[in-house]
Amino acid sequence: MDESWDWATGEDGEAAARPTELRTDIPHPARMYDYYLGGKDNFPADRAAAEQVVKLLPTAPAGARANRRFLGRAVRYAGSLGIRQFLDIGTGIPTANNTHEVAQLLAPDARVVYVDNDPMVLTHARALLSSTPEGRTAYVDADFHDPETILDAPGTKELLDFDQPIALLVVALLHFLSDSEDPYGLLDRYKRVLPAGSVLIVSHGTGDFLSPEVAEAVTRVYSASGLNITSRSHDEVMRFASGADWEPVAPGVVPVNEWHVGTEDVSDDDRALTAEDVAGYGVVSVKRA
């Protein structure tokens, strides 16, 4: 870890100077996700909203864990391609098997830049900087909506070589962007700067396997809590992973508990789940030369 960088204040310009008020009275997606995963870094407002979702979708916690296992398989796949650089946007509160832990178990020299803009994540950023001696990690306090800030951050420029393949992770993030925010256009701004051989890792919530009534009710819970959530279909998620230079890896867009490549199979826990249980798609794409 770079000792010259003050992870809490962004002294070297790692994060833009902005208020970091921790609003514990308002639910936040990262803290709700932490609750689903069984974490302790959440507050009554987060738990109340999450519990309403669980009443409608009892398998939401199992789906969150399946999403986490998908992240691990996808990171290991990127590592198997020789990728040693990772840009993880929408990191969330640190838990077990964070991106750098998975990547550095395979390749101790892997470098990871984490990005999030939730004050609660910032307070736990030190856990994301516990790199192997051979590797490096950094934390950028910034918003996905601002690609220039993220890509131009000192930590990003120091750790990532954009002349070499990079794995870009947007896991359980894009469904918090409405269509009016142009999530496709925003993601394309990141995809364009990645060199050939790079990998894009996406997971996204979907209502494809839920009854319309349940899908609509879950959306209402988030909306009532002041949170936008947009369910997208198989073809809409495929659009994130596709493009002139991008080719989804088989099996393409599938429920997160089903996605795997090569010799690594899904776990027994994943096999016990249905598409309805996880209510989310996973896909990995590679940028062609």
Side-chain angles (χ1 to χ4, degrees):
M1 148 177 143
D2 183 2
E3 296 296 342
S4 68
W5 178 65
D6 185 334
W7 65 271
T9 62
E11 284 288 323
D12 292 337
E14 190 67 37
R18 64 171 183 82
T20 56
E21 180 183 3
L22 185 60
R23 291 294 305 272
T24 62
D25 58 322
I26 298 175
H28 190 281
R31 300 194 302 260
M32 291 175 66
Y33 190 68
D34 177 71
Y35 175 83
Y36 296 142
L37 290 173
K40 304 299 183 184
D41 296 303
N42 47 74
F43 298 96
D46 308 305
R47 293 192 285 274
E51 285 164 3
Q52 289 184 59
V53 172
V54 172
K55 286 180 182 177
L56 296 165
L57 192 62
T59 57
R65 292 191 292 271
N67 184 72
R68 197 72 184 174
R69 291 191 293 270
F70 159 75
L71 181 151
R73 293 193 298 276
V75 167
R76 285 189 289 274
Y77 171 69
S80 75
L81 298 180
I83 291 177
R84 299 296 182 260
Q85 308 183 103
F86 299 81
L87 177 58
D88 185 344
I89 306 179
T91 300
I93 296 168
T95 183
N97 298 319
N98 298 297
T99 298
H100 75 282
E101 293 169 328
V102 176
Q104 292 178 349
L105 190 61
L106 177 67
D109 60 339
R111 302 184 301 280
V112 180
V113 174
Y114 290 106
V115 182
D116 211 301
N117 70 329
D118 176 38
M120 176 63 84
V121 180
L122 179 61
T123 64
H124 290 276
R126 191 176 297 278
L128 298 172
L129 302 180
S130 57
S131 173
T132 59
E134 303 93 333
R136 295 283 301 281
T137 64
Y139 181 86
V140 176
D141 180 17
D143 193 295
F144 177 75
H145 292 81
D146 192 357
E148 285 71 28
T149 294
I150 292 172
L151 296 172
D152 291 340
T156 304
K157 288 187 169 182
E158 183 179 352
L159 265 66
L160 304 183
D161 177 0
F162 281 81
D163 290 326
Q164 298 297 323
I166 294 171
L168 170 63
L169 291 83
V170 281
V171 173
L173 171 67
L174 295 168
H175 48 238
F176 292 112
L177 278 68
S178 65
D179 290 340
S180 65
E181 296 172 89
D182 189 20
Y184 296 103
L186 281 169
L187 184 61
D188 281 345
R189 288 160 71 180
Y190 295 95
K191 290 163 67 176
R192 280 197 298 269
V193 302
L194 297 180
S198 292
V199 164
L200 172 66
I201 300 172
V202 176
S203 70
H204 195 294
T206 185
D208 282 0
F209 309 108
L210 305 176
S211 72
E213 294 77 16
V214 169
E216 183 179 344
V218 170
T219 299
R220 282 200 304 269
V221 169
Y222 278 91
S223 297
S225 302
L227 303 171
N228 169 78
I229 189 164
T230 301
S231 171
R232 292 188 171 94
S233 68
H234 176 281
D235 290 348
E236 289 172 317
V237 176
M238 176 64 83
R239 184 179 164 194
F240 284 120
S242 304
D245 301 323
W246 291 88
E247 183 175 353
V249 176
V253 175
V254 295
V256 290
N257 63 312
E258 297 180 12
W259 190 92
H260 69 101
V261 173
T263 58
E264 182 178 5
D265 202 350
V266 298
S267 68
D268 289 341
D269 289 335
D270 286 309
R271 277 189 286 270
L273 296 171
T274 67
E276 180 181 2
D277 291 335
V278 299
Y281 285 121
V283 61
V284 175
S285 288
V286 175
K287 190 170 188 178
R288 297 186 293 266

